[in-house]
Amino acid sequence: MTTPSVKPASLAPAVLEQLWGAARAAQLRAHAPYSRYAVGVAIVDEQGAIHGGCNVENAAYPQGWCAEASALSSLVMSGARHARGVLVLGSGGAWITPCGGCRQKLREFGDADLPIVSATAEALGPVHSLDELLPHSFGPDHLITP
Ligand code: THU
């Protein structure tokens, strides 16, 4: 077992509470008639505003998208550009972490120590940093030329 190089930034209990509530509200609005797996995500931005999102599936299966994408879309549309914390709420008793593609989407707006909280409808679970979930990642900084 290796010690993670980047620890997740800490989130205040009040912010965690808000994130959990927003993710739960979003999860209840999920459009997941095919997988029947509803996901809710909430992201706190650089101003402290919270953005929720749910998964939106489609009869043409590959056209659906994840809850993280919905929440990020809400963050960007509000004018924000930075994620300070993320909470992901999966269905059932087991907590989940964002899928691979969503880890990369979060990378666009989050630092290496971005805390990603896994949760269920009943309880908060572990917190991972973005760097733990997406090590050695490619990001916007790689495209900036001197
Ligand atoms: N899903 C998410 O919304 N986020 C993830 O990180 C993992 C998977 C959704 C996609 C699909 O609608 C359902 O969960 C089952 O894969």
Side-chain angles (χ1 to χ4, degrees):
M1 177 111 169
T2 53
T3 311
S5 53
V6 179
K7 290 192 171 64
S10 58
L11 293 168
V15 174
L16 272 174
E17 186 86 10
Q18 277 184 290
L19 284 170
W20 192 87
R24 181 70 181 134
Q27 185 185 38
L28 294 173
R29 294 195 168 158
H31 178 69
Y34 309 109
S35 73
R36 302 201 175 279
Y37 191 85
V39 182
V41 166
I43 303 176
V44 57
D45 71 20
E46 68 268 36
Q47 304 291 339
I50 306 272
H51 308 276
C54 61
N55 51 336
V56 183
E57 296 183 349
N58 192 283
Y61 292 176
Q63 299 306 323
W65 64 87
C66 287
E68 290 86 341
S70 294
L72 281 171
S73 173
S74 167
L75 180 147
V76 170
M77 274 302 294
S78 78
R81 282 295 181 273
H82 202 73
R84 282 272 160 77
V86 180
L87 187 143
V88 183
L89 198 61
S91 288
W95 52 263
I96 60 166
T97 56
C99 76
C102 287
R103 294 176 191 198
Q104 183 65 40
K105 288 186 177 78
L106 291 166
R107 171 71 173 83
E108 186 71 16
F109 301 100
D111 296 332
D113 68 347
L114 173 70
I116 300 174
V117 184
S118 296
T120 68
E122 282 75 42
L124 295 177
V127 185
H128 297 95
S129 69
L130 179 59
D131 190 63
E132 281 181 279
L133 298 181
L134 193 70
H136 309 292
S137 63
F138 181 83
D141 37 314
H142 289 103
L143 297 178
I144 294 166
T145 48

